[in-house]
Amino acid sequence: MILKQYYLGCLAHASYLLGDEASATAIIVDPQRDVQQYLADAEKFGLQIRHVFLTHFHADFVAGHLELRDRCGATIHLGARAKAEYAFVPMKDGDMLTFPGLRLQVLETPGHTIESISILVFDLDKDSAKPQAVLTGDTLFIGDVGRPDLRASLGWTANDLGAHLYDSLHDKLLTLPDETLVYPAHGAGSLCGKKLSSDTVSSLGDQRRFNYALQPMSKEAFIQLVTADQPDAPPYFTFDAVLNAHERVTLDKNLEDVLQPVELDEVIRLGDAGAQLLDVRDAAEYAKGHLAGSINIGLGGQYATWAGTVLDRAKPIVIIAEPGREQEAALRLGRIGFDHVRGYLRGGMHALQEKPELVWPTERVNAQMVAEELAIADPPLVLDIRNPREWATRHIANSVNIPLNHLQDRIDEIPRDRRIAVHCAGGYRSSIAASILLRYGITNLIEMAGGLAAWDAAKLPVVSEASP
């Protein structure tokens, strides 16, 4: 038996290849949309990908089940309560796939979503009675459990799903042996929970002891616990969850269509017509000079998550990238179903060498320079665009907290008659924020390079919400 985990850091997403060497069969669970790595490994192991499972309709990425169906002829398996446009095998509680050295057994574990399943993995050469592992999807994480509030827009209340989640954990997963290995679909950094660990595998026994949501409590207390203080879900989550149930174009076909060079004059015309000009370069390079009106979301951070949060699904996207990185930018947008790319600026920023009037810089300064400006008679307003929990823990005195995911909705709260100093934790999000502020005409602006980490390194003072 083969069990291989793939971890995609930018989306904090784990997928799996299960292989039975005796029958030369591979099963892929919760694949990302770009499926080449699974194809390459199946070939390396001498396997054919014959089955693909989704543990649920993922909200934070578009899964690669249709890609594997079309490339390999793989049969799609979903939970029995799933409804989808494409053909699939509904898997109810206790259903199995059995191979000479491997058995998979499905547990219906609703809670994060109503159609959620977990998959018991038996290595038949070692023990046919006890599972070696359980793939828990987003039902049980390392250190947390799946949030039950993401399906509110699809007719399910958080309380109803929270009750299902309690039953799934206590009646199904917590009945498994302590030594069962737990392999979830997400880790730290995912917005599918609030306290996910950076570990990507654990034992059920350790989770029973250390996971806060698995401690003894009533169902009512559990529901209250898991529905409180969840992070804001980006607007694309519902879109992706629905898209995962639909027939749609495959990633390869979409990339063929969208990876087209666009001349500067056409990019400007598209921008004037409402297209989103997405500059994916590093924040420091963006600050040196960028096409006026462009939004900076760098490939070096949580690019897809922030693109899905900040960009509009109804407006076309034109990519501005360092030459050679256009495909990566479009592919990573495709992972969240943002297929509405019109192309990329031919030559990147080199195309603007003869058009200096179209190039805007961002005034990006160090923490000490910000502190010096704050000491003058008419100091700038410090705009902290981290999330409220980060801000409450520690922040610069007298700063205003408007989280990045709400900045465009609350843009009218930003004064236009005062200098603005914007920052985040490390400088990635503040570059996105600065680009948004510039697009809205807020130009008397400085961005603090390195964020609060740089402020701390300069030994400058901070306060907390609890400070007197």
Side-chain angles (χ1 to χ4, degrees):
M1 189 197 85
I2 297 166
L3 193 165
K4 180 171 181 177
Q5 182 185 70
Y6 304 81
Y7 198 77
L8 181 62
C10 65
L11 289 174
H13 161 225
S15 54
Y16 299 90
L17 182 151
L18 299 164
D20 177 62
E21 294 178 299
S23 63
T25 297
I27 304 100
I28 309 298
V29 179
D30 293 332
Q32 62 193 62
R33 195 178 178 195
D34 43 318
V35 298
Q36 188 55 44
Q37 61 187 342
Y38 313 118
L39 300 172
D41 280 348
E43 182 177 4
K44 181 177 72 176
F45 294 137
L47 308 175
Q48 291 186 336
I49 298 173
R50 295 191 173 101
H51 304 273
V52 56
F53 279 78
L54 297 191
T55 55
H56 61 289
F57 292 133
H58 295 273
D60 63 322
F61 69 95
V62 175
H65 50 303
L66 301 186
E67 281 75 7
L68 290 171
R69 177 199 67 185
D70 291 356
R71 293 282 293 273
C72 312
T75 299
I76 298 171
H77 300 260
L78 305 174
R81 298 183 74 167
K83 296 178 181 179
E85 290 181 349
Y86 45 81
F88 68 93
V89 176
M91 304 296 288
K92 62 182 184 299
D93 211 63
D95 282 353
M96 300 182 193
L97 291 183
T98 302
F99 308 95
L102 168 68
R103 183 171 74 246
L104 305 182
Q105 181 176 335
V106 167
L107 300 177
E108 290 188 77
T109 50
H112 177 64
T113 71
I114 197 62
E115 79 286 348
S116 289
I117 59 173
S118 298
I119 304 170
L120 299 176
V121 180
F122 293 83
D123 184 341
L124 298 182
D125 291 334
K126 293 181 178 179
D127 192 332
S128 62
K130 291 183 179 180
Q132 176 179 318
V134 58
L135 308 187
T136 54
D138 284 8
T139 300
L140 173 62
F141 299 124
I142 310 306
D144 204 351
V145 295
R147 59 190 293 181
D149 62 318
L150 293 182
R151 292 298 187 270
S153 61
L154 301 179
W156 292 96
T157 71
N159 284 354
D160 286 344
L161 287 176
H164 281 299
L165 183 61
Y166 181 90
D167 292 339
S168 294
L169 294 166
H170 288 270
D171 297 345
K172 303 282 181 68
L173 294 178
L174 287 176
T175 66
L176 299 173
D178 277 354
E179 60 270 24
T180 308
L181 295 177
V182 176
Y183 288 97
H186 287 95
S190 168
L191 295 173
C192 295
K194 56 186 174 182
K195 292 185 178 180
L196 281 71
S197 170
S198 58
D199 294 338
T200 60
V201 62
S202 181
S203 70
L204 189 63
D206 281 350
Q207 290 309 294
R208 198 190 307 275
R209 286 188 291 273
F210 302 121
N211 189 318
Y212 78 98
L214 300 185
Q215 302 314 300
M217 67 186 82
S218 68
K219 183 181 291 188
E220 292 71 23
F222 173 85
I223 292 170
Q224 184 174 4
L225 182 67
V226 299
T227 55
D229 300 322
Q230 289 288 1
D232 287 347
Y236 74 93
F237 269 30
T238 297
F239 168 73
D240 278 11
V242 172
L243 192 59
N244 276 320
H246 285 185
E247 190 70 47
R248 52 157 177 81
V249 68
T250 58
L251 181 61
D252 287 348
K253 178 63 171 67
N254 181 65
L255 290 177
E256 285 179 16
D257 294 339
V258 305
L259 279 172
Q260 305 295 330
V262 182
E263 301 298 337
L264 177 60
D265 289 347
E266 177 64 7
V267 170
I268 294 169
R269 188 196 69 76
L270 287 168
D272 289 343
Q276 302 166 105
L277 310 180
L278 175 61
D279 190 320
V280 301
R281 295 175 300 147
D282 176 81
E285 290 301 311
Y286 180 84
K288 291 176 186 176
H290 53 268
L291 178 58
S294 62
I295 297 173
N296 179 228
I297 308 175
L299 289 171
Q302 287 188 302
Y303 165 75
T305 296
W306 282 113
T309 300
V310 169
L311 300 181
D312 190 333
R313 292 196 312 275
K315 297 179 180 178
I317 297 167
V318 179
I319 292 167
I320 302 170
E322 294 175 352
R325 302 202 73 182
E326 303 90 355
Q327 178 168 7
E328 178 188 355
L331 183 151
R332 289 171 64 182
L333 289 175
R335 285 175 178 162
I336 61 165
F338 273 49
D339 291 349
H340 51 293
V341 174
R342 287 290 296 271
Y344 60 88
L345 174 60
R346 186 191 293 275
M349 288 301 294
H350 298 295
L352 289 151
Q353 286 180 338
E354 305 301 321
K355 298 274 189 177
E357 71 277 10
L358 297 178
V359 179
W360 287 358
T362 304
E363 189 177 350
R364 200 165 195 252
V365 301
N366 63 38
Q368 188 61 52
M369 294 170 71
V370 173
E372 290 169 3
E373 286 212 35
L374 292 178
I376 65 176
D378 187 20
L381 173 69
V382 177
L383 176 62
D384 185 331
I385 52 86
R386 297 176 301 152
N387 69 51
R389 192 176 301 169
E390 291 175 285
W391 186 86
T393 301
R394 47 205 316 278
H395 57 266
I396 298 171
N398 301 315
S399 61
V400 171
N401 179 222
I402 300 181
L404 176 56
N405 56 318
H406 294 295
L407 182 58
Q408 295 183 84
D409 298 333
R410 297 173 61 184
I411 200 72
D412 289 342
E413 298 177 31
I414 310 297
R416 293 173 180 265
D417 58 353
R418 188 174 174 186
R419 190 160 167 82
I420 306 297
V422 62
H423 80 88
C424 63
Y428 181 80
R429 286 174 287 175
S430 62
S431 185
I432 303 173
S435 69
I436 290 170
L437 293 170
L438 289 170
R439 284 187 76 236
Y440 280 90
I442 299 171
T443 57
N444 190 8
L445 172 73
I446 55 175
E447 181 199 352
M448 187 167 77
L452 200 63
W455 184 270
D456 288 339
K459 296 183 168 53
L460 294 164
V462 295
V463 297
S464 73
E465 199 173 48
S467 297

